[in-house]
Structure formats: structure tokens, C-alpha cells
Amino acid sequence: MYGFLIAVGVLLLLSIIWMVYRIQTLVSVVKGSDKKIATGSNKINAILFVLFLLGTGILMFWYSIKEFDNYQLPVASEHGVITDQLFWITMAVTGVVFLITHVLLFIFPYKYQYKESRKATFYPDNNKLEIIWTVVPGVVLAGLVISGWMAWSDITAPAPEKAHVIEIMGYQFAWDVRYAGKDNVLGDYDYRLTSAQNSHGVDFSDKNSIDDFPSPVVVIPKGEPVLFKIRARDVLHSVFAPHMRLKMDAVPGMPTRFWFVPTKTTAEMREELGNPEFNYEIACTEICGRGHNGMRKVIEVVEPAAYQKWLSEQKSFIQNNPALAKGLESDVKELAEIQ
Amino acid sequence: MATASVATHDTAHDHHDHEHHDNFVTKYIFSTDHKMIGKQFLVTGIFWAIIGGFLSILFRLQLGFPEMNLEFLRPLLGGWIDESGALDPTFYLALVTMHGTIMVFFVLTAGLSGTFSNFLIPLQIGARDMASGFMNMLSYWFFFMSSVIMFISLFIKTGPAGGGWVVYPPLSALEQAIPGSGLGMTLWLIAMTFFIASSLLGGINYITTVINLRTKGMSFSRLPLTIWAFFLTAVIGLLSFPVLFAAALLLVFDRSFGTSFYLSDIYIGGEALPNTGGSPVLYQHLFWFLGHPEVYIVLLPALGITSEVIATNSRKPIFGYKAMIISMLGITILSFIVWAHHMFVSGMNPFLGSIFMFLTLIIAVPSAVKVFNYLTTLWRGNLIFTPAMLFSIGLVSFFISGGLTGIFLGNSAIDIQLHDTYFVVAHFHLVMGSASFFGLLAGVYHWFPKMFGRMMDARLGYIHFWLTFVGVYMVFFPMHYIGIAGFPRRYYSWTNFEFTNMYTDLNMFVSVAAIITFSAQFIFLFNFFYSMYRGRKATLNPWRSNTLEWTTPINPGHGNWPGEIPTVYRWPYDYSKPGAPEDFIPQTVPLSATPESNLPHEQEQVKLEMEIMKEESEVLVANESKH
């Protein structure tokens, strides 16, 4: 019944629109406006451009200011402060260009709308102008590129030697975390060793892997460099820690990395935001299948002392599951048991 | 005897030229007439635009109204709506994938370039048809086959390809990873192979035609900017599409023949695959070697159309004709060496990132020059707001808005945060999606009279423009905020994360705006099809334009001009020339006929022109006496 009524309503609406359309066509034929070069609509369109400029301009400024705290994510890493700065410098530069060009683009239609009495200015070229607006954007862009390049070089430089090494491995549809342990060196892995007990495919015959340990949460110390060694087990994933301004693809067969220095502990950030529930998060930003939007991992930033304490409390893979050491050489086994 | 038979043959041929006896099949289906092929591309493009737009409405429903019961879509989507009335997450990914594929390739490449390169190149350079009408026909029918296969893939049980329009392996190579990588992906690859063949056949034709078949006097420096744009677009396509083919071929090998070009060290579905040594990043390099030029394949024709429309309706020459050509040449060349800016955080060597950042930001310069030239063309013009003009101004606006955000994304340091967020979505939908779409619409409104001999209704055009223009901004502008806040793209929902667990209101707003904008396109559809049969009859040169296509009859036959092809004596932008009685002088008017408006350097060319015309008339007389 509802369907029928809606259909009748739509039909009615369409026929009304149809009638209006036909009537206005006939009126325009009677008025002979189809013979004119520019009709009254020309003026209306010209005015609409100015209204559009004002309306959307006001809307943009109002919303950008009102929502600033919402869309501006708090930043919690050293390089993040720099890239944010670059972002806002670029915003200022492009913002000015955006406003000037749009004001001109929408004012000109109003100012120079068709008048029968006027003739357009024949103005085919001006090389001086062309050179100016080639060189000026060139110089401005060069400035932006160079500052971006310097930041990029620093961010992608090799990690400091003392950086805490953490492996983050993506798979459908979660992240697994492996710490390098006391020696701060991750053990070898081989994807063929992957099993339900050994999700990372860690090669336990490598001595470096003996003290490696898993963690459900990425715990990192504030103010100290942290190196994420990133890889994937099945398809592409991408580690995205928005508050750390960190993003790097996880590629099967090609380990990647990203190092950074966190600047605020989770507790400090909670206080700053007045949100006791706040957590730093990792999300996936490379489409990876059905559960792409659910690959969440929490990062917990703590004071360095608390971090050392936490480290000492962790149990290695082998301690958690002695079966993993089965079949290993006896000297390695001994080492593992001492740990 | 021999002479006589040649003579009979000649007259028979002449007769054939003037009166075509096409039947329905050769006229409307297997046509070799570039105008009909252009229209075929246009109608197929419109069909795909409706499908592509509709898919976006489906996923916008999910994003704007995640709680909504979509039971009413079950008749259409069947099992993709689960028992609770929610959209299946896998199908959501398939929707965004197919939306991207359809819009980028089928609408904005085939629908835009295919339509207007075909329709306008012979008409604007003064040629009877394309260099090879048969290849041109093949180009359409390859596209048609590609369309059919892609369309079928929408309806198969495992769903169409779902790995994003870039179809990165290993996701697109492994059926275990996502169901869309099964038959759906196979069909995607077959369809794209046909599509690439179609693009190449078309592109070769456009290039040969522009180089070889220009009419007398139509030097490269007198070509309308539309033709320059189509020409360079075809060059880009010819050089980059084969690389996509290579990428696709290797993917086929990995999928079906056990090779490891892109696959390495994979453990999936409880089993370790034997592939080692491949690199998924290799695929990304190959893909973006097409993928980035593709942006300009989509955009340049739109910019060409806009140049023509803005000049005509400003009643002014386009400002900086040469600078426009140099900019387009610059964009063409640079478009090939910026591809890896899509891959700053793909894991490739950061040094490459630095190089590509420099190259990418260079390409912003010619784009900026084009914008300033458009603005100066409007300055002190005498603007007539035809629907085509409105859409062209809208295009310039999108080009600015979307282009400027490119400066953020081209900067690798800033891109770390913004990569694969909604900021990117906002950026490319404005600069390449909406701008090119507006170019397409501007072209349709402007050349509709030449295509169908009738006018589209201007008022409906105005309503269509304002709804679409405001609508597009309402859809894509808010996405910048969402993107700065870090919302990742291709997410079925954002509620799993604290940092994205907001902006439900803004997403709802975007979805509503998208639905309104999509609905507004039906005004255009009505206008288009109604005007085709019942529109006001067009006059010969309704926009009082200078270019050659307006010298053909209102409904040009196969061959375009019934008599001789007109000769060209001047560039196409002599609008509002001081001293001239009218505010336009068509390209076919000799300089010697307009002494009152000639510029000093043109006065010198008049002599040369007179000599050529004298020679010509002698040849003509000689020919006449032969008969």
C-alpha cells in the first residue's frame, strides 16, 4: 500500500515538474528569449556565483574554526611536531592562493557578465605575466619542497643504535607484536615455520630469538627512540599510528621499518585531553580484505623507568610455551631455560 | 578504353561520396563514422556513470547511516545484505573497487576521451573522418566487450574484484584472501585487457589523424586547445597503457601459472605458499606508471574542452595560447616521472621518495599557469553563462581546490600522515573526478547541437549545474576534515577505533549530499534524451564560435562537409578583435577579408595568403576543365 502511494506521489511530482518545464519552454519561445545572446538567466547565474562564494566561504571558515579541536589530532612524537608544522605552513600558503583565486574566479563572472553595449578586451597574451606566474609558484614550491625534504630525510634516516626494536607483523586481520628482548636483537624468522603456536614464524634455532617475547599491547618508553620493524604474513597491510604521525606499509617478503620518539605518555595524554579512556592506537591503512577496518592495536607509552620494569616482567616465547624449544640443540635449550 | 573506365569509376566514387545508403546496422551499430562512434562512447559512458554513481550511493548509505536497515535493497543485492539488513563488508570493498574502476576507466577515460576525441578531432581539424575508420570502430567494440565483461562481473556469486581499484597483489592474487580475487578478479583482468586494446586503437588513431589529416592552413599553431589536449592525451595513453597491460599480464601469471613476480613469503589460510622472491612493490611501480599518467589522461581533455568553452563564452581569446600548450606539454612529460609519489610509505627506498617529491611539486607549476590563464581569460571578458560555461567555471574551481591539496600530498613528509586517508579521497575526487566530470558535462552541453542538431534546455542545465556544483563541494569538502582527523579510506565502518569514533554527523551529511547530487544527474539525463528528439532545433553556429565544426551542416553526414573541406586562415581565438564588426571571426575567414581588424604582423601574412589563394583557384579551374 505504501509502495503504491509513494509511486503515485512520485508520478504526481514528476508530472508537475514536467508541466512547469513545458510552460517555461513555451514562455521562452513566446518571449523570443531563445533568439537573444544572453537572457535574464545570465544575470541570475552571475549573482549566484557571488552568493556561492559568500555562502561557502562563510561555511568553510565557521566550520574550520568550530571543529578545529576535533579534526586536529593531538601529536605525540618528535617528528610529528615537525610534519604538523609543515602541514600548517602549507595550509597557510595554499589557503591564501585558494582564497585569492576563488574570489577572482567568482567575482569576474559578476563583474564581466554579458552586456550588449560592451566588447570584451582583446588580450591574447602577455609574456611578462606568464613568466611571473611561472616563477613565483616555482619559488614558493621550492621552499615547501626543501623543508619537506629535510624533514623526510631526518625521519627516514637509519634509527639510532639504542632504539628499542619491536616487530609488528600484520596478517588478516590483526597485528602481532614481538619484542627483541634483553639483547635488543630480533631473532630470525622464516614464513615456512609459521604455525598456530608460532604466529611469527620465529626461528628458535637462532640464539637471538631466545629472549624474544610477545605482547598484546605495544608498550614503549617516552622520550626514547623506538624502531618498528614491520612486515606482513599474507597480504599488504599498513601500520598507521595517527597520534605518532607514523605510517608504513607492511609488505610480505620485504620487511620495512619506521623509527620515532614518543613525547607523551598515555597518562599525560589522558590528562591533557581530559579523557581517561584515551589510548594511542594502530590501524591498518592498506586495503587487506573483509576485516580491514578492525585491525586495532593499542600503543601504551610509559615513563622509561616503568618501561624497564615492564620489560623485566615479560616472559619469552619459549618460557610461555616450552614446546617451541623442542628439537633444538641442547646448548640453545639451556640458554633458553636460563632466561 | 582504360581512360574511359577510370572516368566512370571516378564519377561513381563521387556519387558515393555524396549519398550514403547506410542501413541501420552500418549507421548505428558497426559505424565507421567518427561522429557516431563518439556518440556510442558517450552513451556507453553515461550508462557506466549511472552504474558507478549508484554504487557510490550504496556505500555512502553504509558510511552515513551504518545502522540503517538495507532490507529494501535485497531484491537487487540478494545475499550481499545479511539477515540483520546490513551490507556485507566484503561487498562493501567490492563496491568501492568497482566504483573506482568504472569511474576512472569507463567513464572518465572512455566516456570523455573516447567521446570528444572521436567527435571533435576530425571536425575541428577539418578532416573527413579518422585516419582509420575501421580501427576506430574496433576501438569502440573492444570497449564494448570490456564493458560487457566488467558488467557481468558485478553479478557473479563471489562478487566482483574487491581489492581496491589499484588491485594490489597479493590481495588481488590470492583467492583465499578475499572472495573477489577469484572469478571477479579474472573478469576484471580480461575486461581491462580489452579496455587497454581499445584505448591503444583509439589513441593511435587520434595521433595519426591530428598529425596527418589537418586541413589546409591548419598548422599546429592554429589548432584549437581541445585538439592539443586530445593529442597529448593520446600520446600519454599510448605510452602508459601498455605498462598497465604488462602489470596485468604478470598478475595473471602469478594468479594462474604459479609464477612469483609479486608474491613472496606468504602464509595464508593455514598454509605457507611456495612463492618466494617476488615483490608486491614491483606491481605498484608498474601500476602507477600508468596510474599517474592516467590522471592526466582523464584531466587534459577536460582542460582542453574548458579552454575552448571559456574562450568562446568570454568572447575573448584564451589568454596565453602558447603558454597553455607549453603547460600541457610540460604536464605530459612530467606525468611520466612522478608516479612513485603514490608510494611514499610503500616501503620503497626513501631516497626515491625524495626524488619523486621534487618532481611532483614541479608538475604543480604548469597546472598553476593554466589556472592563472583561465582567470585572465575571464578578466574583462563579456561572459555568457551557457550551461557549458558554468560547468567550465566549476571545473576551474575544482581544479584549484583539488590541485592545492596535491601540494600537501606531494610532500612526502606530510604524506606520511595523510596517505590513504579521506584527505586523499577528497583531493582526487575534486581534482580528477569532479573536474573531469565537469569537463565531460561542459563538452556535452557545448557540442550537443553539433551531435544531434538540437539544443539542450538551458534552464534545466542551470538547475543541473547549481545542484551538482554545490553538491560536489558538500560531498567532498567535508572529507578534508575527516582526512585530517586521520580517517582511513576503504573502511566499512570506523567504530572499531577511538580516534575515528566521531563525525557520524559529518558522514551523514556527506551521504545526504551525495544522494542529492546523484539525483540531480537525472535532470541532465532527461534533458539529454528529451532534447535529442524534441529539443529546439539548433542554428548553424549557436555559440557564435570560431572553430571549424560550426561550418558543417547542422546535421553533418559521413564526411562532414558536403563540398570541399574549408581552408583555415587564422587561429581559433579571434574573439572581440578590435575593429571587427562582429565579436568573432571564424577560422575560415581569410585575413585578407578583414583588413579592418588585422594586427600589424597579420597584415604581412595577407600577401602570402593571397598568393596561396591564387594558386588554389588556378588548380580548381584546372580541375573543373578536366570534367
Side-chain angles (χ1 to χ4, degrees), chain A residues 18 21-22 24-25 34 37 41-42 45-46 48-49 52 56 59-60 63-64 67 70-71 73 83 86-87 90-91 94 97-98 101-102 104-106 108-109 112-115 118-126 129-130 133-134 137-138 141 144-146 148-149 151-152 155-156 172 191-192 194-195 233-236 240 242-243 245-249 251-254 256 258 277-279 281-290 292-296, chain B residues 88-90 93 162-164 168-171 177 264-268 273 275-276 280-281 284 314-320 323 344-347 350 354 357-358 361 364-365 369 372-373 375-376 378-385 390 393 397 400-401 404 407-408 411-414 416-420 457 459-460 462 466 469-470 473 477 481 484-486 488-493 496-499 502-503 506 526 530 536 544 571 574-578 580:
Chain A
W18 173 257
Y21 165 67
R22 284 305 296 166
Q24 71 92 6
T25 313
D34 50 322
I37 288 170
S41 314
N42 218 52
N45 280 311
L48 281 175
F49 273 120
F52 178 82
T56 50
L59 199 63
M60 181 183 82
Y63 196 82
S64 302
E67 286 288 305
N70 265 336
Y71 60 76
L73 272 180
T83 57
L86 285 175
F87 178 87
T90 312
M91 185 65 90
T94 54
V97 178
F98 177 77
T101 47
H102 268 100
L104 295 179
L105 183 66
F106 294 136
F108 284 170
Y112 302 112
Q113 56 182 292
Y114 185 81
K115 286 198 186 71
R118 203 183 58 223
K119 201 168 183 182
T121 310
F122 186 80
Y123 189 48
D125 51 22
N126 180 338
L129 273 180
E130 301 284 0
W133 59 49
T134 307
L141 284 168
L144 292 176
V145 172
I146 288 169
W149 172 69
W152 172 253
I155 294 166
T156 56
Q172 290 181 321
Y191 78 105
R192 279 163 290 209
T194 311
S195 66
R233 199 171 78 177
D234 38 36
V235 298
L236 292 174
F240 176 38
H243 302 95
R245 307 293 190 263
L246 179 158
K247 189 177 288 142
M248 182 51 71
D249 280 9
V251 185
M254 193 188 89
T256 56
F258 201 114
E277 307 282 296
F278 174 85
N279 273 315
E281 293 173 302
I282 288 177
C284 179
T285 47
E286 186 66 71
I287 182 172
C288 60
R290 190 182 174 94
H292 174 46
N293 61 329
M295 291 179 60
R296 178 171 187 257
Chain B
D88 181 82
T90 317
L93 296 178
Y168 281 175
L171 185 63
S264 184
D265 299 13
I266 292 167
Y267 178 90
I268 193 167
L273 302 185
N275 312 66
T276 53
V281 179
Q284 297 176 26
S314 300
R315 314 309 295 163
K316 262 188 79 183
I318 190 85
F319 182 77
F344 285 140
V345 293
S346 69
S354 313
M357 164 166 51
F358 277 98
L361 294 190
V365 175
V369 169
F372 294 134
N373 283 345
L375 287 175
T376 319
L378 292 176
W379 177 70
R380 298 180 75 175
N382 209 9
L383 312 186
I384 304 167
F385 299 113
L390 294 178
I393 293 174
S397 170
I400 297 171
S401 308
L404 287 174
I407 295 172
F408 294 80
N411 190 329
S412 56
I414 302 174
I416 295 172
Q417 178 72 1
L418 296 176
H419 182 79
D420 268 342
D457 187 78
R459 263 174 224 218
L460 286 181
Y462 300 145
W466 284 107
F469 186 51
V470 176
Y473 264 124
F477 206 84
Y481 301 107
I484 295 169
R489 22 181 330 205
R490 295 165 178 151
Y491 264 34
Y492 174 75
S493 87
N496 290 324
F497 294 89
E498 286 166 25
F499 78 99
M502 56 169 179
Y503 277 140
L506 201 56
F526 166 76
Y530 181 81
R536 206 154 44 73
R544 301 180 308 133
W571 76 326
D574 269 347
Y575 290 107
S576 301
K577 214 169 179 190

Side-chain angles (χ1 to χ4, degrees), chain A residues 165 178-186 208 211-213 311:
Chain A
V165 178
R178 175 164 67 123
Y179 277 76
K182 290 198 185 73
D183 59 358
N184 203 27
V185 180
L186 285 165
N208 290 327
D211 58 351
D212 291 1
F213 65 86
L311 265 188

